[in-house]
């Protein structure tokens, strides 16, 4: 018998290509590879965590999360998203990543198809595979919006449609009409929509629409990670029909017990405190997007202006990408995000304007070779 045997499910997925690139980067590199805010977590949020430590709030919490935080998230859903989720329909998780993981484990049977935008966030396909499901990419149009008719064709017999708007890696914000059409069609066809809204606050001109406004069979996933520059605190959550959250809770209970107690108090301060910090970050991201977009356009790279998240997904031939990487600008090839965009690359503009300008200058110096 072979030693060190692992499951086919696990062997069937790869370590994230983004991590590999990041680790290969030299000290002189400009790293626009990671989807991580470069802002510090706002001070009032940090202070709440420090107070929690001092007050000894360091034990296990209820599996679902501390009641005050679930109440605050419920109020946030009502205030910002027009959604009526009761606190007992909410589970606080270790980031949106864990929320997505436990949803897949609670809902996906062996061989079930899980749909998501392609190009799309790297985790969806791997999480679906780990849960025994079969990942299927949904094609996008020229502006990286979901091709609704193509999506409908793929929906019959599928189990989950993961809808991500604003989207990683494209920065696309789905129009409300498309979201409504997708949710209505999916729910009629018995497909659960999992709406990943982690970039909801980073939109420049367009507006955010929560999928759960248009159907009952929807689970909403969100996190403090991007909104409040809290990626390392590991707080996310899911909210949905109690029939689902009751099952998701079992998976969460056995793999995580509860999200970090200290981080939960920090998240409580984030949701109940002044929201000015979010607007400040949004304004700065918009200025950075504009700088990077016009810089790339000035080099002759032409593409539609992305409306959200903190990514630019630009056309880039494999030959140019190689030169850009060799010039020390770390960006992520489109192949990391699925099958449909091999001639693109993702820039994260969660970096200062000065760094973004340097990146544009370095790319300019290798354009003509
Ligand atoms: C679309 C999307 N969903 C979920 C996540 C994971 O978020 P978290 O850090 O809260 O696990 C990311 C992180 O990059 C993301 O881009």
């Amino acid at each position: 018998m072979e030693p060190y045997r692992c499951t086919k499910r696990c062997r069937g997925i790869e370590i994230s290509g983004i991590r590999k690139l990041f680790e290969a980067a030299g000290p002189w590199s400009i790293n626009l590879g990671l989807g991580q805010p470069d802002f510090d977590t706002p001070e009032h949020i940090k202070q709440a965590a420090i107070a929690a430590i001092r007050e000894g709030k360091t034990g296990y919490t209820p599996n679902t999360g501390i009641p005050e935080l679930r109440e605050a998230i419920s109020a946030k859903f009502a205030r910002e998203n027009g959604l009526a989720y009761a606190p007992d329909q909410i589970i606080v998780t270790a980031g949106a990543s864990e929320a997505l993981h436990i949803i897949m484990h609670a809902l996906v049977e062996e061989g079930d198809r899980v749909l998501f935008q392609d190009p799309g966030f790297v985790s969806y396909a791997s999480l679906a595979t780990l849960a025994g499901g079969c990942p299927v990419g949904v094609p996008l149009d020229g502006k990286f919006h979901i091709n609704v008719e193509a999506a409908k064709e793929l929906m019959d017999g599928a189990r989950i449609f993961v809808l991500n708007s604003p989207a990683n890696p494209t920065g696309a914000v789905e129009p409300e009409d498309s979201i409504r059409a997708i949710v209505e069609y999916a729910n009629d066809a018995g497909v659960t929509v999992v709406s990943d809204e982690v970039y909801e606050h980073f939109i420049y001109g367009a507006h955010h629409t929560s999928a759960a406004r248009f159907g009952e069979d929807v689970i909403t996933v969100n996190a403090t990670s991007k909104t409040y520059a809290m990626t390392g605190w590991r707080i996310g959550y899911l909210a949905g029909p109690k029939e689902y959250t009751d099952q998701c809770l079992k998976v969460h209970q056995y793999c995580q017990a509860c999200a970090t107690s200290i981080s939960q108090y920090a998240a409580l301060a984030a949701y109940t405190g002044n929201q000015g910090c979010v607007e400040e970050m949004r304004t700065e991201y918009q200025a950075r997007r504009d700088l990077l977009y016009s810089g790339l356009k000035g080099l002759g790279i032409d593409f539609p202006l992305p409306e959200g998240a903190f990514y630019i997904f630009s056309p880039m031939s494999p030959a140019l990408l190689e030169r850009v990487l060799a010039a020390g600008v770390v960006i992520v090839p489109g192949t990391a995000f699925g099958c449909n965009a091999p001639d693109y690359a993702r820039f994260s503009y969660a970096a200062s304007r000065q760094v973004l300008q340097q990146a544009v200058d370095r790319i300019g110096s290798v354009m003509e070779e």
Side-chain angles (χ1 to χ4, degrees), residues 161-212:
F161 191 115
V162 186
L163 177 62
N164 178 214
S165 176
N168 176 6
T170 62
V173 177
E174 283 301 323
E176 181 169 326
D177 285 355
S178 301
I179 294 181
R180 179 195 288 274
I182 289 163
V183 173
E184 289 178 353
Y185 191 92
N187 282 188
D188 278 352
V191 178
T192 302
V193 174
V194 174
S195 182
D196 178 342
E197 304 184 7
V198 296
Y199 296 104
E200 66 173 336
H201 284 289
F202 302 132
I203 297 190
Y204 321 107
H207 82 278
H208 177 66
T209 307
S210 286

Side-chain angles (χ1 to χ4, degrees), residues 140-152:
L140 309 179
D141 67 15
K143 286 188 160 178
F144 296 118
H145 290 147
I146 296 169
N147 179 329
V148 177
E149 289 315 307
K152 285 181 182 170

Side-chain angles (χ1 to χ4, degrees), residues 289-350:
R289 177 205 60 170
D290 292 346
L291 184 155
L292 183 57
Y293 182 74
S294 53
L296 293 173
K297 272 204 113 159
L299 298 176
I301 304 176
D302 201 16
F303 56 103
L305 181 70
E307 294 176 309
F310 41 70
Y311 305 112
I312 278 185
F313 201 59
S314 89
M316 183 144 311
S317 69
L320 177 57
L321 176 63
E322 214 170 284
R323 294 201 299 275
V324 169
L325 292 172
V329 179
V330 180
I331 52 176
V332 185
T335 47
F337 303 101
C339 304
N340 290 340
D343 290 335
Y344 281 79
R346 187 190 77 175
F347 292 74
S348 162
Y349 52 84

